[in-house]
Amino acid sequence: MELLISLGKAFLVGGAFCAVGQIFIDKTKLTPARILVGYVVLGVLLSALGLYQPIVDFAGAGATVPLTGFGHLLATGVKEAVAQKGILGALTGGLTASAAGITAAMVFGLLVALLFKPGDKS
């Protein structure tokens, strides 16, 4: 039963992030790329204010998988690196914290490109 509750929380929070993004796409002239960047920046800002960690604690993957979670990861990595290495950590912390996710995205993107041979739509 506890697993179903956790899944439900993740679904509701992650779904809310997606629904808000879709509303922005449908109702504004913002491009999807700008909306995605806005989500990353929002994650960083909410983390800096200490407001995003409670959402992560509540929703788990529903808060860490969307792009706001990536912003949270960057902010958390910078904060930890600055505590350990001083000001140099501000330059290295975000990349160090997100290296595994970025690498996975690149490797899986390459594998899919090799398997399916993408081409131009024209």
Side-chain angles (χ1 to χ4, degrees):
M1 188 65 166
E2 188 174 323
L3 176 63
L4 289 176
I5 292 172
S6 295
L7 291 173
K9 290 177 182 179
F11 177 77
L12 290 174
V13 172
F17 282 130
C18 293
V20 169
Q22 189 64 49
I23 291 169
F24 277 125
I25 289 170
D26 292 343
K27 301 294 183 185
T28 69
K29 294 185 186 242
L30 292 172
T31 63
R34 289 183 180 187
I35 294 167
L36 296 176
V37 169
Y39 268 3
V40 173
V41 172
L42 180 66
V44 170
L45 291 175
L46 289 175
S47 293
L49 297 172
L51 300 174
Y52 202 78
Q53 188 59 47
I55 298 170
V56 170
D57 294 340
F58 174 78
T64 58
V65 172
L67 282 173
T68 49
F70 181 66
H72 172 66
L73 179 65
L74 292 174
T76 303
V78 168
K79 181 180 175 185
E80 291 174 4
V82 167
Q84 292 175 356
K85 300 176 185 174
I87 195 69
L88 183 61
L91 301 173
T92 62
L95 189 59
T96 302
S98 62
I102 293 170
T103 301
M106 291 172 58
V107 168
F108 291 128
L110 175 64
L111 289 174
V112 169
L114 291 173
L115 289 173
F116 296 102
K117 300 181 186 191
D120 286 341
K121 290 184 177 184
S122 55

